[in-house]
Amino acid sequence: MTDLATIAPAFVDMAHRIVWCTVATVGPDEQPRTRILHPYWTWDGTTLTGVIATSPTPLKRAHLDHSPYLSLTYWQPNHDTCTADCSAEWILDDAGREELWRTLAEAPEPVGYDPAIIPPWKDGPLSPAFAGLRLRPHRLRVMPGEVMLQGKPELLMTWSES
C-alpha cells in the first residue's frame, strides 16, 4: 500500500493528462449508472480534493441522495489507468457555484476550460442547469500501462483510508 503523499501527485498527474473519466453512481434501485465527466483535482500536500461541474439532473440527485459516493476511472489507449473512490457533495449555493466556475476557467489546460462553452451553462454560474460536485477520495489506484503490460503488480500504487 502506498502512502497518500506518494500516490496523490501521481494520481493528479495522470488524471489531468487523461482529463475525461467514467463516473459511476448507484441509485435507489441499487443499479449502477455511468457517465463521462471532467474533474479537476487539487493536492495541497496533505489533502486531495476534486471538483466537477455538472447539471443537477433528477437522476444524478436521486443517485447521490441514495448513496453519496461515486467511483471515477480514467483510461487512455496506452492502458494508463487511475481510479478514485470518493464521497461526493453537491455544490448548489450561489457562492460555491461562482467559485467552481472561476476555478475551472482559471485552471491550466487541458483540465481548465470556460464552462460557458456548454450550452445549458451559457448564462453563467447561476444558471439553474449549473452545479458542481466536491469529491473527497477514500481510495486511490494508479496503474501506468507499462505496469500492466510488463506484469509487475508490485509497481501498482494503491491507497485507502481504511
Side-chain angles (χ1 to χ4, degrees):
M1 186 90 65
T2 307
D3 69 0
L4 183 59
T6 300
I7 196 170
F11 174 83
V12 172
D13 179 61
M14 187 178 288
H16 284 184
R17 185 169 26 87
I18 298 171
V19 181
W20 293 92
C21 67
T22 301
V23 178
T25 57
V26 174
D29 60 0
E30 300 302 332
Q31 298 298 309
R33 178 59 90 57
T34 61
R35 58 206 43 90
I36 304 298
L37 295 174
H38 180 168
Y40 176 66
W41 297 93
T42 55
W43 166 247
D44 66 7
T46 57
T47 304
L48 177 63
T49 306
V51 290
I52 304 173
T54 190
S55 294
T57 65
L59 181 68
K60 286 180 202 160
R61 293 194 69 160
H63 276 225
L64 290 172
D65 285 347
H66 172 71
S67 178
Y69 301 98
L70 48 80
S71 184
L72 307 91
T73 296
Y74 295 83
W75 174 86
Q76 72 182 93
N78 70 353
H79 299 296
D80 282 355
T81 61
C82 61
T83 299
D85 296 333
C86 306
S87 62
E89 173 189 358
W90 281 106
I91 301 170
L92 298 169
D93 64 294
D94 290 352
R97 294 186 302 153
E98 288 173 335
E99 179 182 345
L100 173 61
W101 190 281
R102 273 191 309 277
T103 296
L104 297 173
E106 294 171 2
E109 291 186 5
V111 290
Y113 67 99
D114 177 3
I117 65 171
I118 310 296
W121 304 343
K122 66 178 173 35
D123 294 328
L126 302 184
S127 163
F130 183 79
L133 294 171
R134 184 170 292 108
L135 311 174
R136 300 197 195 306
H138 54 265
R139 182 178 177 278
L140 297 172
R141 181 174 186 259
V142 175
M143 186 169 72
E146 70 261 7
V147 170
M148 182 184 70
L149 296 173
Q150 293 175 5
K152 296 183 177 184
E154 68 275 7
L155 300 177
L156 170 70
M157 289 192 285
T158 61
W159 167 83
S160 179
E161 279 186 336
S162 52

